[in-house]
Amino acid sequence: MKIKNCLLLGLATMSLATSAALAGEDLDRVMEEGVLRVATEADWVPQSFLDDNNEMAGFNVDVAREIARRLGVEVAFVTPAWEVITAGNWNNRWDISVGSMTPTEQRAKVLNFPAVYCFTPAVAVVHADSTVQEIAELNDQRIGAVAASTFELYLQHDLTIDAKGALPFDYQINPGEIRSYPTSSAVYDDLRLGDGVRLDALIDAMPAILAAIENSYPLRIVGDPVFYEPLAIAIDRGDQEFNDELARIVADMRADGTLTTISEQWYGIDYSAAK
């Protein structure tokens, strides 16, 4: 009996020791390899895109580089499909997502969100030739959005944002048809073909829309923002130590003004806090 009890105690101790050893597994791997592998998009100006030198640039890219610098490691970017990133269970293919991801109830089942680093408005957009002037006129229309994005969830009336600091919102649009796209640029390209040719409107982030308009896309914003997105870095579930270290770094970046500086550089406005 004593032998059995000792054996059980030994197994329990080993289990606790194993759990402790694995508590920082992801952080340990990043530090040992000396590289933070960041998942983001490559064609979403000005968040993250390939510049004229074929190098990654943008707001999210600079945030990711600063996080890596403060960790004391190099940074490497990968660009998987958005629905793959949000699905979780990354199996060490990358370490972190810095891709303007909104923490939602559904995503939190497979991902951890160490810190919100940005708040951006989501807006409805029509072709410049459209006669639409108010949000309500978009009811029963064909509206595009990136697949598995908060914009698509908003159109589906299935968006839950429970991050700290998130502002309340109402569903102002009842689309007749929701068309899903792999990237924002693909949505824009369909809408730019003309009013009602393939789409009547789209929903996306204000900074990306303003960048597209600046690049001569014939688009026009309709009404006020439909909701404000708290955007967070994301990691696979399981490593609390990694989570806490990233949370500390982002808090420091907010406190010392780094997030404000990066936001103003790319957006001309400080999106680092909710307005």
Side-chain angles (χ1 to χ4, degrees), residues 35-41 56 60-61 63-65 67-68 74-80 85 90 93-99 233:
V35 177
L36 182 68
R37 294 167 296 173
V38 180
T40 193
E41 291 193 56
M56 292 293 292
N60 287 332
V61 172
V63 170
R65 286 195 172 115
I67 290 173
E74 299 296 318
V75 65
F77 293 99
V78 295
T79 56
I85 300 174
W90 298 339
R93 289 171 290 175
W94 51 85
D95 308 304
I96 182 174
S97 164
V98 186
I233 59 176

Side-chain angles (χ1 to χ4, degrees), residues 25-174:
E25 182 179 2
D26 293 337
L27 179 58
D28 288 346
R29 185 185 65 255
V30 169
M31 301 309 293
E32 289 172 5
E33 293 179 355
V35 177
L36 182 68
R37 294 167 296 173
V38 180
T40 193
E41 291 193 56
D43 59 354
W44 196 23
V45 180
Q47 282 74 227
S48 51
F49 60 97
L50 287 172
D51 64 15
D52 293 339
N53 296 317
N54 206 36
E55 296 180 353
M56 292 293 292
F59 172 74
N60 287 332
V61 172
D62 281 356
V63 170
R65 286 195 172 115
E66 182 62 17
I67 290 173
R69 188 188 72 80
R70 296 188 185 212
L71 277 172
V73 298
E74 299 296 318
V75 65
F77 293 99
V78 295
T79 56
W82 181 249
E83 58 266 32
V84 176
I85 300 174
T86 56
N89 298 312
W90 298 339
N91 295 317
N92 299 333
R93 289 171 290 175
W94 51 85
D95 308 304
I96 182 174
S97 164
V98 186
S100 297
M101 188 184 299
T102 299
T104 66
E105 188 175 35
Q106 188 67 26
R107 291 170 180 169
K109 295 177 181 178
V110 293
L111 297 170
N112 280 354
F113 298 100
V116 170
Y117 64 98
C118 184
F119 293 81
T120 59
V123 292
V125 177
V126 296
H127 191 275
D129 293 337
S130 173
T131 60
V132 170
Q133 298 296 326
E134 298 181 1
I135 294 289
E137 296 178 65
L138 296 177
N139 289 338
D140 301 320
Q141 301 299 303
R142 294 171 299 172
I143 305 178
V146 174
S149 68
T150 51
F151 314 116
E152 183 180 60
L153 290 172
Y154 176 83
L155 292 172
Q156 294 169 342
H157 293 196
D158 194 28
L159 177 61
T160 301
I161 302 175
D162 51 8
K164 183 178 180 181
L167 301 176
F169 63 89
D170 297 316
Y171 294 113
Q172 302 178 53
I173 304 172
N174 293 296

